[in-house]
Amino acid sequence: MPSLILSLARGAATSPFKRPGRPDAVLPPDRATAPAARPAAGPLAAYRGICGFTEPDALPVTYPHVLAFPLAMRLMTRRRFPLPVTGLVHTWIEITAHRTLHPTDALELTVYADGLTPHRRGTEVTVATEARLSGELVWESHSGYLSRHATRTSTGTGTGTGTSTGTGTAPAAPGPVLPAVAEWRLPADLGRRYGAASGDRNPIHLYPLTARLFGFPRAIAHGMWTVAHCLAQTPRPHLVHTVRADFRAPVLLPGTVTYASDGTRFQLRDGEGDDARVHLTGTATHRS
């Protein structure tokens, strides 16, 4: 697996020279791959602990994303990748788990960029991840990452305001207010703790100062932590088959959020009522 430290250093060095929003930008056809390997026990235990997964014989449905993150970083920090990796914001994810995975599974991982899309706040790249077991596709995902930059309105010749996903579906509407299940108090160091467990040390998640460099008043929680912690609360998380989650507003750290769910749909929001700010919406379906 490629070194995250080297990828982060390369990303910091190359990001200032990249100009997002260029109309002629294209994605390189590269694929980053890693040979079959079992998840390391220590990092997996740390991830389970920070996210709340308690099933020892099942791999959390979100964990292949974590395993493949170094590959994604290697891909997105290459010189030919058109967007600066520093400050990229995860905006949505879709996961399909074709079967329950286990800590003893030796997964073969592949990551590739699947498209560039204009966004009202910049440019969004779709990154696809595939996990195979003895050549069989057992898990896959598409994720959107936003590079924020100045754009023109959709009435001109600029980037417009639309968004799309790698699977051709539009982001889901926020939907109705779901019944509250629990209130979560999130500590200021949550981003640093999750970053240590997952390897995702994007500076927007670490400290107020590093987050302010990218326009956030304080550090923000990792989107993948919010999804994972929500899924860990669902009944039988090892049987989750599909997940769609949209990250609608940053969760500032420290902070307090309400976790809400009706069994299939889930939300993270501030407070109650129609005026509550929704940070995350999602759906999860289970295998029977």
Side-chain angles (χ1 to χ4, degrees):
M1 189 65 70
S3 167
L4 271 174
I5 294 177
L6 290 178
S7 292
L8 288 168
R10 183 168 59 246
T14 59
S15 288
F17 300 99
K18 296 184 178 183
R19 297 291 180 264
R22 292 176 51 184
D24 59 345
V26 294
L27 289 170
D30 309 19
R31 288 178 174 244
T33 62
R38 295 178 179 178
L44 175 56
Y47 180 85
R48 281 190 174 125
I50 193 68
C51 296
F53 290 101
T54 59
E55 299 172 300
D57 296 328
L59 200 68
V61 69
T62 49
Y63 200 60
H65 176 91
V66 173
L67 292 175
F69 182 70
L71 293 176
M73 284 294 297
R74 184 174 72 178
L75 186 76
M76 293 190 289
T77 57
R78 288 175 177 169
R79 185 180 299 274
R80 292 192 298 163
F81 191 79
L83 302 179
V85 71
T86 304
L88 278 181
V89 178
H90 201 176
T91 50
W92 57 269
I93 186 168
E94 291 180 348
I95 295 172
T96 301
H98 298 289
R99 47 158 285 186
T100 298
L101 300 179
H102 304 282
T104 55
D105 289 337
L107 298 176
E108 311 152 11
L109 301 171
T110 302
V111 177
Y112 58 95
D114 198 31
L116 286 174
T117 307
H119 187 281
R120 62 189 176 86
R121 293 183 178 177
T123 302
E124 191 174 73
V125 61
T126 298
V127 176
T129 302
E130 299 174 348
R132 287 178 167 79
L133 190 59
S134 300
E136 176 190 356
L137 182 65
V138 293
W139 184 100
E140 59 186 312
S141 74
H142 286 81
S143 287
Y145 293 93
L146 174 64
S147 176
R148 301 193 302 172
H149 58 81
T151 65
R152 299 178 185 178
T153 66
S154 58
T155 57
T157 59
T159 61
T161 59
T163 60
S164 66
T165 73
T167 56
T169 59
V177 175
L178 301 178
V181 176
E183 185 178 81
W184 296 343
R185 298 183 183 276
L186 310 183
D189 67 346
L190 176 61
R192 298 191 292 276
R193 291 167 55 203
Y194 180 82
S198 68
D200 184 354
R201 293 183 173 87
N202 188 321
I204 64 177
H205 303 301
L206 302 181
Y207 298 97
L209 178 60
T210 56
R212 282 196 292 269
L213 294 174
F214 301 98
F216 299 99
R218 303 197 300 274
I220 64 174
H222 291 74
M224 285 307 298
W225 178 86
T226 63
V227 173
H229 200 45
C230 287
L231 293 174
Q233 317 306 310
T234 65
R236 303 173 300 157
H238 67 289
L239 293 180
V240 169
H241 173 50
T242 62
V243 178
R244 165 75 193 208
D246 292 281
F247 310 112
R248 300 192 171 277
V251 176
L252 297 176
L253 301 173
T256 300
V257 293
T258 297
Y259 164 64
S261 177
D262 64 2
T264 299
R265 296 170 296 180
F266 55 89
Q267 293 177 339
L268 280 188
R269 62 178 186 254
D270 285 340
E272 300 296 329
D274 294 337
D275 295 332
R277 188 184 194 197
V278 177
H279 297 282
L280 168 73
T281 60
T283 59
T285 63
H286 289 68
R287 291 184 294 275
S288 58

